[in-house]
Amino acid sequence: IAQAPDDHPNYLRAVLDEPTGRLLESGVADTFMRIWDGLLGQENLPTPLLAVLEAGCGSANDYRALAACGLVRLVDYTGFDLSAKNIANARLRFPQARFLEGNALAIAAPDRSYDRLIAHDLFEHLSLDALAVAVAECCRVTRDEACLGLFSVAEVPEHIVRPTDEY
């Protein structure tokens, strides 16, 4: 493995040299987060901040990653979730952020009010009818781009809907 420049840790070597089971204890796993945080901490704040909406934010898992990478200082973040318990957890973890109870089928925001939208592991929980409504709502409130993550998809010519009562 090639040597990393002197000013950056060789994270690949560290991972390969790390004994099994100690990776998370050593801090190697968050190397990228620390590098990004350091680099982004030197950036000037954009004016205005990028307005970001996260649909189905859960207990702030994606916000935690944004914070760890130093991205939260560059955005005006709002997250919403259907679950009041998730929102309470998110607010407890990150009291400085904006977390609201809300429904992806009826987003409480004006048209084109957010620059970017994030939605991870949300759409696959919906029926096909609800999916169409949620996607339309997300497009309605987003000006520029959306970053969507799906946990159960396949590149096949025909999709089969498999309703389930339990995961």
Side-chain angles (χ1 to χ4, degrees):
I1 294 177
Q3 285 295 104
D6 291 338
D7 59 338
H8 293 293
N10 187 334
Y11 58 89
L12 292 176
R13 172 53 57 204
V15 168
L16 294 172
D17 289 345
E18 190 66 35
T20 305
R22 296 193 54 221
L23 183 62
L24 295 177
E25 294 172 27
S26 72
V28 173
D30 65 355
T31 298
F32 278 124
M33 299 286 196
R34 285 179 300 176
I35 290 171
W36 274 113
D37 186 40
L39 292 172
L40 291 171
Q42 300 168 20
E43 292 292 314
N44 292 327
L45 293 177
T47 306
L49 295 176
L50 197 64
V52 175
L53 178 67
E54 183 175 11
C57 66
S59 292
N61 293 331
D62 289 333
Y63 185 86
R64 179 174 38 107
L66 294 173
C69 290
L71 288 170
V72 294
R73 64 184 288 278
L74 304 174
V75 299
D76 178 12
Y77 174 93
T78 301
F80 74 85
D81 198 275
L82 191 59
S83 166
K85 179 91 173 165
N86 284 345
I87 294 303
N89 290 338
R91 288 175 178 163
L92 188 62
R93 292 171 79 185
F94 299 100
Q96 74 284 5
R98 186 172 35 254
F99 295 102
L100 309 169
E101 288 183 48
N103 189 334
L105 303 180
I107 299 174
D111 293 356
R112 301 175 52 77
S113 53
Y114 291 92
D115 298 307
R116 304 287 191 277
L117 178 119
I118 303 169
H120 293 137
D121 303 337
L122 167 67
F123 296 120
E124 52 272 19
H125 294 282
L126 305 175
S127 69
L128 288 179
D129 291 339
L131 173 66
V133 172
V135 168
E137 276 293 283
C138 287
C139 290
R140 177 185 67 77
V141 300
T142 306
R143 282 190 285 274
D144 294 323
E145 297 177 348
C147 178
L148 311 177
L150 304 160
F151 70 82
S152 181
V153 296
E155 297 274 340
V156 295
E158 283 190 44
H159 291 277
I160 299 169
V161 176
R162 293 178 289 196
T164 181
D165 293 330
E166 297 178 16
Y167 287 95

